[in-house]
Amino acid sequence: MTNTFKLGSGLLLVAAIQLLTACGGSSSSTPPAEAGFSGKASTFQRADFVIGQPDFVTGSAPASPAADNVASIMNGAGSGPLYLPDEYNNRVLGYHQIPGVQQAAADFVLGQADFTSNASGSNADQLNRPNVVVEAGNQLFVSDYGNHRVLIFDPAPQTGPASAQLVIGQTGFGSNDPGCSSSSLRRPHAIAVVDGKLIVSDNGNHRVLIWNSIPDSNGQPADLVLGQDSFTECTVNAGGYATASAGSLHNPTGIWSDGSRLAVVDSDNSRILIWNTFPTAEDKLPDLVLGQSNFTNNTENDDNQDGVPDTDPENGQKITSARTLYFPYGQIVFNGKQFFVPDSDNMRVLAWNGFPTRNFQPADVVLGQSDFTRLTDNDDDQNGISDGAPSARTFNSPYGLSMVNNRHLIVGDYGNHRALVFKLDQ
């Protein structure tokens, strides 16, 4: 018998990497957790099932696209069907309900005419490396990374193929030119939709763009920019390049917001920036930072903040800690009890009990590793050497998170070509 996680609609709400709905990104409300679930993860917890692979110990890429596999899982979403972006197959897979068995086949596909095609394109019904999918207000938003645009489907498709109705970042469908202006994008990654606002991490331009209302015309310009001094400046760290500041970004890849607060994953600065009040002006600087002790430090895994990555004094091996990060990548989530961050190059997911309140605050829980010092991929026996094959509790470059109904955490395990689903009932 196939099991499914049922929601009020009778369908499934889940995401492969970033569900901004149930955890506050596409909605300002936080749904109550279901009875019998604490809503918290525990250290080195095993996943309950896998999407994209036949079992927990398979991590190889598929030879060719099909309805039951993925080449590269990025950030997805759904409040009806599950939408799962398969980046390097240039498609979004749709599931009418989340499967309770391994390697279940998708029900429909966006971006391709069928399940066995994977060519890229820039028309309204085509995609080029889609990264993040967000469903909000019966609309579907897709960051079409390789086409330097965000697509809006209205209504959110229940079958495929389907064509988008609006495009942001381009003047129309069929073009895919990158640019640096209030109406253009360069490799957009994350999306959040909250309180009628659209938020996009324009990571190739090292900035976050905010539309104060959902765009209703092609190429509509943004209203606010974060990370740069103006809409026509798009340099690394706002021109500081190797030097970070409170007002700069270097490759932002994740966003979380509940409408009152904002958090941004600043990947190449190895930090998370948090605004305790949602910014309404370009000069509104973040209030706190995770991964670093201040806004100018940006070295990865630098617990003593001396500007050099930490090593074990006994054997010289690289180590990390509960408060450092190394290229965090993709969407972050908060379910009202734990704040989750994909610490990608440390091959782990960190969780803070409650919403973080101070700089350099240490995490409380780690997934993917048995303690806060380890950082080897697919290391189930925790001997510091990759096992090669994955397991139900290890990762190989976790790229973004989703939260479903406050009790199911979905981790996009990019290097293992799968998504892992964790029940937060420990």
Side-chain angles (χ1 to χ4, degrees):
M1 178 178 174
T2 299
N3 296 318
T4 56
F5 301 139
K6 297 292 186 179
L7 300 187
S9 64
L11 293 175
L12 208 96
L13 175 61
V14 70
I17 315 277
Q18 177 325 92
L19 177 58
L20 289 170
T21 52
C23 54
S26 300
S27 170
S28 59
S29 62
T30 302
E34 295 182 24
F37 286 79
S38 69
K40 286 188 176 183
S42 59
T43 290
F44 216 25
Q45 180 176 333
R46 294 174 58 87
D48 292 277
F49 69 93
V50 60
I51 298 172
Q53 297 288 3
D55 50 51
F56 287 115
V57 297
T58 302
S60 56
S64 60
D68 61 355
N69 67 36
V70 292
S72 50
I73 295 180
M74 298 298 288
N75 303 277
S79 68
L82 155 67
Y83 300 98
L84 178 64
D86 184 8
E87 182 187 12
Y88 286 107
N89 280 326
N90 303 304
R91 65 184 185 175
V92 173
L93 296 176
Y95 302 78
H96 289 143
Q97 58 187 15
I98 193 168
V101 295
Q102 321 295 24
Q103 207 170 21
D107 296 298
F108 63 93
V109 62
L110 305 177
Q112 303 294 335
D114 53 52
F115 289 112
T116 58
S117 303
N118 64 359
S120 63
S122 59
N123 292 329
D125 61 347
Q126 296 176 308
L127 295 166
N128 185 355
R129 298 182 61 191
N131 275 198
V132 173
V133 179
V134 170
E135 196 271 349
N138 200 34
Q139 294 177 310
L140 187 71
F141 300 78
V142 180
S143 64
D144 195 10
Y145 183 91
N147 281 325
H148 312 288
R149 66 185 187 178
V150 171
L151 297 179
I152 302 177
F153 295 81
D154 190 3
Q158 306 291 309
T159 60
S163 296
Q165 281 65 51
L166 287 172
V167 58
I168 306 304
Q170 304 292 332
T171 56
F173 298 108
S175 61
N176 61 356
D177 298 317
C180 177
S181 71
S182 61
S183 58
S184 59
L185 298 166
R186 183 183 299 272
R187 300 191 301 275
H189 191 277
I191 303 171
V193 179
V194 59
D195 288 353
K197 297 180 176 67
L198 172 65
I199 312 166
V200 175
S201 69
D202 186 15
N203 77 337
N205 284 325
H206 312 288
R207 64 185 185 176
V208 170
L209 296 180
I210 299 173
W211 285 258
N212 290 330
S213 60
I214 303 303
D216 56 11
S217 61
N218 289 340
Q220 185 169 324
D223 299 293
L224 181 67
V225 60
L226 302 176
Q228 302 289 346
D229 293 330
S230 73
F231 285 112
T232 57
E233 297 174 79
C234 297
T235 53
V236 171
N237 280 327
Y241 296 96
T243 303
S245 69
S248 74
L249 294 166
H250 187 186
N251 188 25
T253 61
I255 301 169
W256 174 88
S257 179
D258 60 0
S260 298
R261 298 167 292 190
L262 175 68
V264 173
V265 179
D266 190 10
S267 294
D268 275 307
N269 284 323
S270 293
R271 65 185 187 177
I272 310 296
L273 299 177
I274 296 176
W275 286 256
N276 289 329
T277 302
F278 193 91
T280 57
E282 282 86 352
D283 59 356
K284 177 66 171 71
L285 299 178
D287 299 288
L288 61 96
V289 58
L290 300 177
Q292 308 290 343
S293 65
N294 58 53
F295 291 107
T296 58
N297 290 356
N298 62 355
T299 301
E300 73 275 8
N301 289 341
D302 185 16
D303 192 79
N304 61 8
Q305 295 287 274
D306 64 353
V308 179
D310 297 333
T311 57
D312 189 322
E314 294 184 0
N315 57 29
Q317 297 295 314
K318 293 180 180 179
I319 57 172
T320 184
S321 76
R323 56 184 186 173
T324 62
L325 298 167
Y326 186 7
F327 195 66
Y329 193 95
Q331 296 290 37
I332 46 183
V333 293
F334 178 55
N335 68 347
K337 293 186 177 181
Q338 287 179 312
F339 182 82
F340 294 89
V341 170
D343 190 11
S344 300
D345 279 10
N346 283 325
M347 311 299 166
R348 66 184 187 176
V349 172
L350 296 179
W352 284 256
N353 293 333
F355 197 82
T357 58
R358 65 185 188 275
N359 289 347
F360 218 23
Q361 183 173 331
D364 300 288
V365 171
V366 59
L367 298 175
Q369 308 289 346
S370 64
D371 61 46
F372 290 108
T373 64
R374 300 177 190 272
L375 44 69
T376 302
D377 65 280
N378 290 338
D379 184 17
D380 191 81
D381 59 8
Q382 294 289 274
N383 66 351
I385 302 171
S386 177
D387 302 331
S391 75
R393 56 183 185 175
T394 63
F395 304 127
N396 184 359
S397 300
Y399 274 14
L401 310 172
S402 308
M403 186 67 65
V404 180
N405 214 25
N406 283 344
R407 70 181 184 102
H408 293 103
L409 176 71
I410 296 88
V411 179
D413 192 9
Y414 190 86
N416 286 323
H417 310 282
R418 64 184 188 174
L420 294 178
V421 181
F422 296 81
K423 293 180 183 179
L424 305 185
D425 57 350
Q426 304 302 308

